[in-house]
Amino acid sequence: MNLSIQTKQLGKRRCCIEPMQIELPDETLTDVRSLITAIVRRQVEGHNQRPGENDLLKYLTQEEIDDRAESGKVGFGVNYNGEKASAEAAVKNALQAYEDGIFRLFVNDEEAGTADTPLVLREGDRLTFVRLTLLSGRLW
């Protein structure tokens, strides 16, 4: 199943980071917890396949820099420490963050609910992750 994912952060003027398409197995997506787990596992796989620091890096053209700046992040996509990420630890962290309210998930502009809320996803649905940031500062 092809889904479109975008991320937003409250308080930022920029609407969102460029949406990305992701393909997930539709038979396992029964609730919010399984959706977050599938997305995190896919992202960890992508992270672990990035080139290491010793691999040959290509340079970025000014056009590529401008395109990446529009989406909110300019980088080479290199795993500098060379360590592989743990999928289990990443899933546990993501689910804990969701339950703690660090981020919210919206499916086609409707909030997904708790981690155990059942989901019915269709081809081409738009998923939006909104990161909620805490205010910090002095209280005097």
Side-chain angles (χ1 to χ4, degrees):
M1 167 181 313
N2 281 321
L3 301 170
S4 173
I5 297 178
Q6 60 185 4
T7 58
K8 296 183 179 184
Q9 181 177 351
L10 292 181
K12 294 287 184 179
R13 289 183 182 218
R14 198 164 268 169
C15 168
C16 60
I17 294 176
E18 182 101 9
M20 67 178 202
Q21 298 296 319
I22 189 167
E23 172 114 13
L24 296 173
D26 53 346
E27 64 275 356
T28 61
L29 304 177
T30 58
D31 59 2
V32 174
R33 182 181 313 276
S34 63
L35 175 64
I36 292 173
T37 300
I39 291 172
V40 169
R41 287 184 187 280
R42 177 62 54 98
Q43 293 300 102
V44 168
E45 287 174 15
H47 172 78
N48 288 340
Q49 292 174 356
R50 285 193 210 169
E53 185 177 12
N54 296 332
D55 294 343
L56 182 63
L57 294 177
K58 70 173 204 144
Y59 64 92
L60 297 176
T61 65
Q62 187 61 42
E63 184 177 318
E64 289 173 320
I65 291 172
D66 293 339
D67 287 345
R68 292 181 184 187
E70 279 291 317
S71 69
K73 183 175 181 184
V74 177
F76 291 102
V78 174
N79 182 1
Y80 289 105
N81 66 3
E83 294 180 17
K84 303 289 184 187
S86 166
E88 296 305 318
V91 167
K92 181 179 176 183
N93 188 17
L95 291 173
Q96 185 66 51
Y98 186 76
E99 291 170 2
D100 289 346
I102 303 297
F103 70 94
R104 302 306 312 156
L105 171 63
F106 294 84
V107 178
N108 295 327
D109 299 328
E110 291 190 25
E111 190 169 1
T114 66
D116 296 319
T117 303
L119 280 179
V120 178
L121 294 174
R122 290 177 296 284
E123 187 79 21
D125 277 353
R126 187 178 66 250
L127 305 176
T128 305
F129 289 90
V130 179
R131 186 173 76 181
L132 306 171
T133 57
L134 303 173
L135 298 176
S136 64
R138 297 182 187 171
L139 297 174
W140 52 299

